[in-house]
Amino acid sequence: MCGIVAYTGKENAFPILLEGLKRLEYRGYDSAGIAILDKDIAVHKKKGKVSALESYITEETSGTVGIGHTRWATHGEPNDINAHPHLSGDGKIVLVHNGIIENYQTLKTALIELGHQFKSDTDTEVLVHLIEEYAKRSTSFEDAVRLALQKVIGAYAIVVYSIDEPDLLIGAKKSSPLVVGIGDDELFLASDAFPIIKYTNKVIYLEDEQMAIIDANGTYSIKDIDNNIITPEIQELDLTIQVIEKGEFEHFMLKEIFQQPITVLESMRGRINPVEGWLKVGGLTKQMNRISKAKRIIFVSSGTSWHAAMIGEYLFEDLARIPVEVEYSSEFRYRNPILGSEDVVIAISQSGETADTIAALQLAKSKQASTYGIVNVVGSRISRMTDTGSYTHAGPEIGVASTKAFTSQLTVLSLMALHLAIEKGTIPQSYVMQLLSELEALPDKITKVLNDNEKIKYVASEIKDSTNALYLGRGYNFPVALEGALKLKEISYIHAEGYPAAEMKHGPIALIDENMPVVVIATNKSAYSKIVSNIQEIKARKGIVISIVTEGDTKIKKLSDYTIEIPYIADPLSPILSVIPLQLLAYHIAVMRKCNVDQPRNLAKSVTVE
């Protein structure tokens, strides 16, 4: 959840760390801090965004070793004292941390009895004091860190430094990501590759309970916390600095919305050929026999990815006729689910580091279920731990509210469902060819929707002052209603709820009046007359209707206050188009309400703690 960056080399560390923190701010922006390590430890930290820290540091700051942190608060409110880095009691050790130390209170009580005094409310300060205590008894700083981590229960990614061994930086991880960047006579530690890609594309992804010991001479070693030496795999990243910058766009979110013609195409590239009539999803091919004959498929995910999983349920059952269940990862892992070797658990996660989804997969693997990962980030934890999987190839998504990652997930799920349907022979060949053709046409159709941006902006201006909103959809577009409502809540702070359209009369209709905007996704061919009836019920109560319809629709247009058209597309693929106006609607409303679109309050991009 928090962001970590560290540097050791020949250059001044401060500007490298500051720039790195700005690139990591999507992971947390409650506070930020930097420790520059020279003859002593100079700590600078401040509540608020990295810009507040930058303004706060006025004196000349130099040194070739340093660590930085941007925080998403868990233990202790966001303030200067609770900001990282944290110092040991003797001031000789400094540490940054991402994760949660679950037994911190027990450790803190024991340390207080030994004479330690604490300044903050964080679990992190407990860990740095614990390392200090072990440093008194150990022959090396590395041993002190190792011994302390063996006492920790919970999740962590840490970077820690001791003035007694000034050439070393030590990083370690368990259930929170940490990568080692290998440059020319310089080394980096970071939560992900974004803050270091300017300097190197060579990285090592640490596994759980591994430590990286790096020094100012550019040498490193990887060990586990039992002191066994690990020979790591060095990966070269296909990532450039340009793709993680906003370019001509005002916000990352807007850039990512407008990237969707390209990202959906990238999700399909090499996987379909409508002319020759074939489709192939590599990860699925590897496990085709097991997945096509699965007793059931269980999707586990969180947030926007959970909405993608719900659409996946419709796709897999409709096209491939395989029973599907959709679970919140956080609930699945704690409810003692019935699992066996005939089940397939598919995890969906943009980051591939979502803590609850990782835990759900670990449970599935312990029950001998097959596991499959649908992730965006290459080399992420879920991609490494699953039996097989598929990348979505959406590219880096910096905006906290997911947009292009969602449509890429839907694209991959559509390809997988159709591939299974072809393998099982559950749909006619003519329908296969139709869906392949429509998949190929998706990028152009998305571009056509995006061309209505100004019209959607006008609709946003008409409802931006609302305090509540209702989103309705049927069939494939019910999860789209949930996703549209989530987007509005996330970035504009307007309360919104999504419902199946037919469920409106079972409660939500009581909320409808002349101040309530109701967004209706009305592209379904199979339930068109039912949706018309739902809209008439809303209008009878003076609700404001904003309808998403198929081009050429006249009946719903007459009933609606505002209408946004999308090109015709078959129902199974309609969510990929119908969600885009909802993304733009939420974006423009948030901008008009002067909300921080890319960094909405209390949220972070990747939830790496439970």
Side-chain angles (χ1 to χ4, degrees):
M1 194 78 74
C2 307
I4 291 171
V5 60
Y7 173 82
T8 181
K10 304 294 186 281
E11 303 297 323
N12 184 7
F14 177 73
I16 295 172
L17 297 178
L18 192 65
E19 181 183 40
L21 290 181
K22 290 176 181 177
R23 299 198 187 284
L24 283 171
E25 203 164 19
Y26 72 98
R27 299 182 69 93
Y29 31 87
D30 290 336
S31 60
I34 284 175
I36 300 298
L37 317 169
D38 196 5
K39 294 179 181 178
D40 55 12
I41 300 174
V43 175
H44 311 272
K45 52 186 185 175
K46 195 69 178 170
K47 175 184 175 181
K49 299 183 185 301
V50 176
S51 58
L53 174 69
E54 188 174 16
S55 299
Y56 171 69
I57 301 175
T58 56
E59 71 267 29
E60 184 70 23
T61 303
S62 62
T64 58
V65 182
I67 58 179
H69 186 272
T70 180
R71 181 176 186 239
W72 186 85
T74 53
H75 292 80
E77 67 178 84
N79 58 31
D80 293 353
I81 293 173
N82 289 331
H84 299 212
H86 286 282
L87 285 166
S88 58
D90 60 12
K92 291 184 176 183
I93 302 170
V94 63
L95 177 143
V96 293
H97 166 228
N98 176 18
I100 293 177
I101 308 301
E102 295 176 7
N103 61 335
Y104 85 100
Q105 194 60 60
T106 301
L107 295 172
K108 187 174 185 176
T109 300
L111 288 165
I112 289 172
E113 290 177 356
L114 291 171
H116 289 259
Q117 296 181 348
F118 295 87
K119 298 177 180 178
S120 77
D121 301 317
T122 67
D123 54 337
T124 301
E125 191 184 6
V126 174
L127 181 53
V128 73
H129 279 257
L130 184 63
I131 293 171
E132 176 193 358
E133 188 62 34
Y134 277 106
K136 298 174 184 176
R137 318 173 192 177
S138 303
T139 56
S140 71
F141 181 53
E142 180 186 329
D143 285 339
V145 174
R146 181 178 296 108
L147 291 168
L149 292 179
Q150 289 172 350
K151 297 296 183 181
V152 164
I153 298 172
Y156 57 80
I158 66 167
V159 178
V160 58
Y161 168 89
S162 171
I163 205 165
D164 288 335
E165 297 188 39
D167 289 335
L168 294 183
L169 277 176
I170 296 177
K173 69 144 291 192
K174 181 181 179 182
S175 300
S176 288
L178 194 67
V179 301
V180 182
I182 304 167
D184 296 328
D185 297 322
E186 57 186 3
L187 292 164
F188 305 82
L189 290 162
S191 296
D192 59 43
F194 291 177
I196 63 176
I197 195 62
K198 180 178 177 180
Y199 307 98
T200 181
N201 68 339
K202 295 180 180 179
V203 301
I204 296 167
Y205 290 97
L206 293 184
E207 300 291 345
D208 276 0
E209 297 188 328
Q210 288 185 353
M211 297 170 54
I213 300 95
I214 69 176
D215 66 31
N217 298 316
T219 60
Y220 64 88
S221 62
I222 310 297
K223 300 179 181 179
D224 64 23
I225 61 171
D226 294 321
N227 205 28
N228 299 304
I229 296 173
I230 307 295
T231 303
E233 177 187 358
I234 299 174
Q235 299 192 27
E236 292 195 12
L237 300 178
D238 182 17
L239 183 66
T240 62
I241 195 70
Q242 289 78 17
V243 301
I244 58 173
E245 293 179 340
K246 283 186 285 191
E248 63 186 26
F249 292 91
E250 184 180 356
H251 298 98
F252 280 110
M253 183 179 179
L254 187 62
K255 175 187 176 182
E256 288 154 7
I257 290 172
F258 273 83
Q259 284 182 318
Q260 288 174 111
I262 298 169
T263 53
V264 166
L265 177 64
E266 289 299 319
S267 296
M268 294 188 287
R269 191 180 299 279
R271 290 170 169 165
I272 68 167
N273 188 319
V275 176
E276 297 179 9
W278 59 259
L279 181 153
K280 184 178 181 181
V281 182
L284 182 57
T285 302
K286 293 179 182 177
Q287 295 282 327
M288 178 59 78
N289 188 55
R290 190 166 186 180
I291 295 174
S292 65
K293 295 178 180 178
K295 180 180 178 181
R296 62 178 173 163
I297 288 173
I298 303 167
F299 286 107
V300 292
S301 48
S302 300
T304 286
S305 295
W306 186 78
H307 297 154
M310 290 187 69
I311 295 168
E313 177 182 20
Y314 283 78
L315 287 163
F316 278 56
E317 291 194 344
D318 182 18
L319 300 180
R321 309 306 297 159
I322 300 175
V324 174
E325 296 177 11
V326 178
E327 299 269 3
Y328 281 114
S329 301
S330 56
E331 289 296 312
F332 178 77
R333 59 172 300 203
Y334 285 117
R335 68 169 187 78
N336 193 24
I338 299 170
L339 277 173
S341 60
E342 294 180 309
D343 296 319
V344 175
V345 175
I346 299 179
I348 308 178
S349 168
Q350 188 283 136
S351 68
E353 301 287 351
T354 309
D356 287 319
T357 304
I358 289 169
L361 280 171
Q362 289 170 332
L363 174 62
K365 291 173 79 69
S366 73
K367 302 291 186 180
Q368 285 74 54
S370 295
T371 57
Y372 195 104
I374 300 175
V375 301
N376 187 35
V377 180
V378 175
S380 57
R381 176 81 183 281
I382 289 174
S383 73
R384 301 197 307 274
M385 70 183 293
T386 45
D387 297 325
T388 186
S390 299
Y391 286 117
T392 57
H393 300 300
E397 189 178 64
I398 310 297
V400 167
S402 182
T403 53
K404 67 175 183 176
F406 178 68
T407 50
S408 291
Q409 288 169 348
L410 297 187
T411 304
V412 170
L413 287 166
S414 300
L415 295 175
M416 290 176 65
L418 187 53
H419 194 171
L420 286 165
I422 294 168
E423 179 73 17
K424 291 166 62 71
T426 49
I427 60 175
Q429 181 64 22
S430 59
Y431 194 29
V432 171
M433 296 305 294
Q434 178 193 344
L435 291 177
L436 285 174
S437 178
E438 293 200 25
L439 280 163
E440 185 183 38
L442 264 174
D444 289 339
K445 291 184 177 183
I446 293 170
T447 299
K448 196 168 184 179
V449 177
L450 293 171
N451 288 340
D452 268 346
N453 182 44
E454 288 303 314
K455 180 177 181 180
I456 297 167
K457 186 176 181 179
Y458 169 73
V459 176
S461 70
E462 293 291 291
I463 63 170
K464 65 180 174 60
D465 296 321
S466 302
T467 54
N468 296 281
L470 192 61
Y471 286 69
L472 302 176
R474 295 183 86 110
Y476 279 101
N477 282 309
F478 159 50
V480 177
L482 296 175
E483 175 62 12
L486 176 62
K487 285 291 150 293
L488 191 68
K489 283 185 282 193
E490 283 181 313
I491 63 172
S492 75
Y493 318 138
I494 294 174
H495 175 257
E497 295 296 334
Y499 278 90
E503 292 299 307
M504 177 184 63
K505 62 177 85 57
H506 294 282
I509 199 168
L511 300 172
I512 295 174
D513 58 20
E514 65 274 12
N515 299 312
M516 171 71 85
V518 182
V519 180
V520 184
I521 303 105
T523 63
N524 307 58
K525 274 65 73 178
S526 58
Y528 185 83
S529 61
K530 301 293 185 184
I531 294 172
V532 170
S533 296
N534 296 142
I535 293 173
Q536 288 169 330
E537 291 167 347
I538 298 164
K539 293 308 296 178
R541 289 152 182 86
K542 300 181 180 180
I544 303 165
V545 175
I546 302 155
S547 58
I548 313 297
V549 300
T550 302
E551 279 179 336
D553 187 300
T554 56
K555 192 168 186 178
I556 290 177
K557 188 172 185 178
K558 289 178 181 177
L559 294 170
S560 305
D561 296 276
Y562 309 96
T563 305
I564 301 165
E565 294 185 338
I566 65 172
Y568 170 84
I569 194 165
D571 277 355
L573 303 179
S574 63
I576 300 172
L577 287 186
S578 61
V579 75
I580 292 170
L582 308 187
Q583 295 171 348
L584 286 168
L585 190 66
Y587 170 80
H588 288 303
I589 289 172
V591 171
M592 291 171 188
R593 290 168 66 92
K594 302 188 186 310
C595 299
N596 191 325
V597 172
D598 286 335
Q599 298 171 353
R601 68 188 182 204
N602 302 332
L603 295 178
K605 182 68 176 174
S606 178
V607 183
T608 58
V609 296
E610 294 180 46

